Amino acid sequence: MANKYTLNIAHLYGDLMNTYGDLGNILVLKYYGKKMGIDVQSNVVSLDEGFKADDYDIAVFGGGQDFEQTIVSKDIQTKKDEIKKFIESDGCLLAICGGFQLLGKYYIDANGDKIPGIGVLDHYTEQQHDNRFIGNILIKNEETGEQYHGFENHQGVTYTGKGERPLGDVEKGYGNNGQDKAEGAIYKNVYCTYFHGPILARNNIIAKHILIKALKRRYPNDDFSRLEQMDVEKSY
Ligand code: GLN
């Protein structure tokens, strides 16, 4: 029998921004989609390709090295308005590390060069001097009480801004900047994080949250309470 639901994922710059297997996040969304009776489709939207907000339910934007970020920074300015429209109309977006940085105002890279973001979220990212935050990290989300496990590896230090709340408070590791205990950012249905691993494979519950939010947005007249009860595997 055909699946009742379909969700479309835009893998933003999936050919350039995919450090530490961030692509795995899409595989996890497809895996749980199958269990939930959703046909989850994905395609890469990269340089010189249009992103149309109305075509997608979920966007995934992975991490990347400074070099790739410089290239993507230029191209993504052309997609800024549609990405903003997607976010403001409650589209679900998962942004990892370099992707997280480029949704904000700017990122100062390891050489001290300023790489412009698109400023659709209010955070900004400064430089560390001869240092990276590398290692396992554990955080706790204040609203749900859920703990999330991950691996961080970043030079940039991010400070969240207006309308953003952290994905979690740091219990072990560094987080956004090693100072304010915040890790990542949540704004509307946007989840930003420094977690690789990939985050959804190690924290399946976030995959479930994203799929259910996307379903509710795409099929507002349907009842998803049965899916909300569905257990996910613990895998960190
Ligand atoms: N190049 C960025 C930094 O070092 C992002 C790294 C990443 O995406 N893993 O902060």
Side-chain angles (χ1 to χ4, degrees):
M1 202 176 75
N3 285 324
K4 191 169 172 200
Y5 301 112
T6 303
L7 292 175
N8 290 323
I9 302 178
H11 191 189
L12 295 172
Y13 305 98
D15 51 348
L16 292 164
M17 304 280 286
N18 183 30
T19 37
Y20 310 112
D22 290 339
L23 167 69
N25 292 311
I26 292 176
L27 302 181
V28 176
L29 290 168
K30 290 189 176 184
Y31 175 79
Y32 279 105
K34 205 166 173 188
K35 283 182 185 282
M36 293 162 102
I38 315 165
D39 185 15
V40 179
Q41 305 281 346
S42 72
N43 64 281
V44 171
V45 179
S46 193
L47 304 178
D48 298 325
E49 292 171 345
F51 170 77
K52 281 256 159 288
D54 294 341
D55 291 350
Y56 296 101
D57 305 291
I58 299 170
V60 175
F61 192 9
Q65 280 94 16
D66 290 3
F67 178 71
E68 282 83 359
Q69 278 181 274
T70 310
I71 295 165
V72 170
S73 159
K74 292 191 184 102
D75 186 89
I76 199 172
Q77 306 302 330
T78 66
K79 300 179 176 56
K80 172 183 166 163
D81 293 345
E82 286 291 311
I83 293 175
K84 190 173 173 60
K85 181 177 161 192
F86 180 73
I87 291 172
E88 294 303 326
S89 63
D90 297 321
C92 293
L93 199 165
L94 175 68
I96 316 293
C97 204
F100 172 24
Q101 294 168 348
L102 290 178
L103 293 181
K105 292 175 174 161
Y106 62 84
Y107 161 55
I108 310 291
D109 74 9
N111 295 325
D113 294 326
K114 188 171 186 171
I115 301 179
I118 51 173
V120 291
L121 300 184
D122 202 42
H123 56 267
Y124 59 93
T125 304
E126 300 288 346
Q127 156 187 48
Q128 298 189 66
H129 294 279
D130 297 322
N131 193 41
R132 296 186 72 83
F133 287 156
I134 305 173
N136 288 317
I137 171 164
L138 175 66
I139 64 172
K140 186 172 182 177
N141 181 283
E142 214 181 48
E143 284 150 63
T144 61
E146 291 160 1
Q147 276 185 319
Y148 304 136
H149 297 250
F151 175 79
E152 59 183 326
N153 182 353
H154 54 114
Q155 179 281 124
V157 282
T158 299
Y159 299 90
T160 52
K162 221 172 63 218
E164 295 180 301
R165 54 194 200 284
L167 176 65
D169 297 329
V170 176
E171 300 198 328
K172 198 173 137 281
Y174 301 99
N176 288 346
N177 52 53
Q179 294 160 11
D180 64 14
K181 292 261 167 213
E183 201 298 315
I186 298 178
Y187 171 78
K188 288 183 162 254
N189 287 339
V190 182
Y191 291 81
C192 297
T193 182
Y194 272 109
F195 282 29
H196 298 281
I199 183 169
L200 299 186
R202 296 187 69 184
N203 306 276
N204 296 312
I205 189 74
I206 305 177
K208 180 178 152 184
H209 293 327
I210 290 174
L211 287 167
I212 288 179
K213 279 174 197 270
L215 282 174
K216 286 182 172 172
R217 174 175 177 265
R218 174 63 60 187
Y219 302 96
N221 299 322
D222 285 24
D223 174 17
F224 296 107
S225 46
R226 195 183 52 84
L227 291 183
E228 281 174 317
Q229 304 306 317
M230 190 189 93
D231 281 336
V232 294
E233 294 133 49
K234 281 218 163 90
S235 59
Y236 42 81

